[in-house]
Amino acid sequence: MSGKPETKSALPCLAGIRLHPIKSLDPISVNEARIGVGGGLEHDRAWALFSVDGRWVNGKRTAAMHLIRASYAPDLSSVTLAVPGDRRNIPARTFPFPGGTEDAAEWFSVYFEQQILVRHAPEGFPDDNIANGPTIISTASLQAVSGWFSGLRLEDTRRRFRTTLEIDSAHGLVGAQDARARLNSTKAVDSELHPQSNGALPAFWEDQLYGEDERSVVRFRIGEVNFEGSNPCARCPVPARDPQTGADLLGFQKRFSELRRETLPAWAPAARFDHFYRLATNTRVAPTETGKLLHLGDPLQIS
């Protein structure tokens, strides 16, 4: 790997933490998160939906998932589910989280008009069962991808790609530390408090966090938590869809892949790209890190 980006004047740090407590549904932004028993973030993808024959019911398979809105109590003790505009007028309901799986399953069954099972796993239901740690992306990468598609806002891009950890330069953070101080009595961070990058970290900075081949890893720390970078994350059909309506953005994957190839930075190991529909870095987290906290503003240091 060569051409690593200069970071002496642009020290990377944690700019955003987004949990997706119910797999495929809306996220919640928080100012701190704990490493869970499976290596991911505690409460991330803790619920998942299944049909009675054991098949996933998720955004990849079922576009109707995108119409459901999920909002969470600040301490994640409950979730409210609603389907605005649904012709059947399915009432919004609030359920204990994570203990309310049976009652929530009844609500989802009414919505999908088939029996749905909701399962809870303390270790979560990661998309990648090998590199099952948090996914990492830079604010600059999200901004770059937003610029590839007319009318795509930064927050829309965040919701499309559903990464858990967002990094930016210490200089590029706007209000992250202030937000953390203002909200030290609550766990939730309003989405509008997400920092905006000033470009100090280059787009696709996170492509240096994995090795030249599958046998090599890049070790790094965020705050007190040790990570191993694994691979560039392969994307599914979900990023092509509007996160609110499920409508497909025509030609999304083709245009994304073409521009990703054209803009692949010098520090990204090209051999790891069997295709270019990849964005963000998958990680692994050892069991020794379970219980450690990540905070907004924590520095990222490569070993």
Side-chain angles (χ1 to χ4, degrees):
M1 193 185 308
S2 62
K4 287 188 177 181
E6 178 61 55
T7 59
K8 290 180 180 178
S9 60
L11 296 175
C13 49
L14 191 55
I17 306 172
R18 292 165 73 87
L19 305 176
H20 301 79
I22 304 176
K23 195 174 179 73
S24 297
L25 293 187
D26 294 327
I28 179 173
S29 295
V30 298
N31 62 11
E32 64 179 32
R34 193 178 301 276
I35 298 297
V37 293
L41 300 182
E42 196 172 75
H43 303 306
D44 188 53
R45 277 88 170 174
W47 280 10
L49 277 58
F50 297 87
S51 60
V52 290
D53 59 358
R55 293 178 179 270
W56 292 100
V57 177
N58 57 23
K60 296 177 187 179
R61 296 172 176 267
T62 311
M65 289 288 292
H66 297 286
L67 302 179
I68 301 172
R69 302 277 66 81
S71 56
Y72 304 90
D75 62 356
L76 289 175
S77 62
S78 66
V79 57
T80 299
L81 300 173
V83 191
D86 185 82
R87 58 177 174 76
R88 296 166 295 173
N89 295 317
I90 296 173
R93 283 193 60 190
T94 299
F95 304 97
F97 184 87
T101 53
E102 290 189 9
D103 288 341
E106 293 181 8
W107 187 93
F108 283 115
S109 297
V110 171
Y111 172 66
F112 286 110
E113 298 181 344
Q114 63 170 300
Q115 187 175 351
I116 298 294
L117 306 176
V118 178
R119 295 175 182 163
H120 170 231
E123 68 276 16
F125 294 92
D127 292 327
D128 189 324
N129 289 315
I130 298 174
N132 56 359
T135 50
I136 297 179
I137 197 166
S138 66
T139 306
S141 298
L142 292 166
Q143 289 178 322
V145 173
S146 298
W148 295 348
F149 300 93
S150 177
L152 195 61
R153 301 182 303 117
L154 177 60
E155 186 61 22
D156 294 333
T157 306
R158 287 189 177 107
R159 286 180 173 268
R160 285 172 184 263
F161 286 94
R162 303 177 65 80
T163 53
T164 44
L165 301 181
E166 186 174 328
I167 56 171
D168 201 350
S169 71
H171 183 60
L173 295 180
V174 177
Q177 295 293 347
D178 289 343
R180 183 174 164 191
R182 287 196 302 271
L183 296 167
N184 59 10
S185 62
T186 181
K187 198 173 184 181
V189 177
D190 189 278
S191 62
E192 294 304 316
L193 293 176
H194 266 297
Q196 307 295 309
S197 176
N198 68 350
L201 279 189
F204 315 117
W205 186 95
E206 66 279 3
D207 281 333
Q208 66 182 295
L209 296 179
Y210 49 84
E212 297 278 355
D213 56 53
E214 293 181 0
R215 296 182 299 276
S216 60
V217 298
V218 174
R219 293 180 173 85
F220 60 96
R221 291 169 61 92
I222 301 178
E224 297 183 353
V225 181
N226 293 292
F227 292 82
E228 289 185 352
S230 174
N231 58 281
C233 182
R235 311 314 308 199
C236 67
V238 169
R241 299 185 190 141
D242 186 299
Q244 300 291 318
T245 67
D248 273 312
L249 183 55
L250 202 61
F252 181 93
Q253 182 172 339
K254 182 175 185 292
R255 178 169 174 78
F256 177 97
S257 299
E258 290 172 350
L259 291 172
R260 184 74 163 109
R261 180 174 58 248
E262 291 175 10
T263 59
L264 194 71
W267 56 84
R272 303 302 303 275
F273 288 81
D274 54 340
H275 61 82
F276 290 88
Y277 193 44
R278 293 180 177 271
L279 185 70
T281 294
N282 287 347
T283 69
R284 293 187 288 267
V285 179
T288 54
E289 309 307 292
T290 301
K292 292 183 178 179
L293 278 171
L294 293 165
H295 305 273
L296 289 183
D298 280 349
L300 186 156
Q301 298 175 307
I302 299 177
S303 301

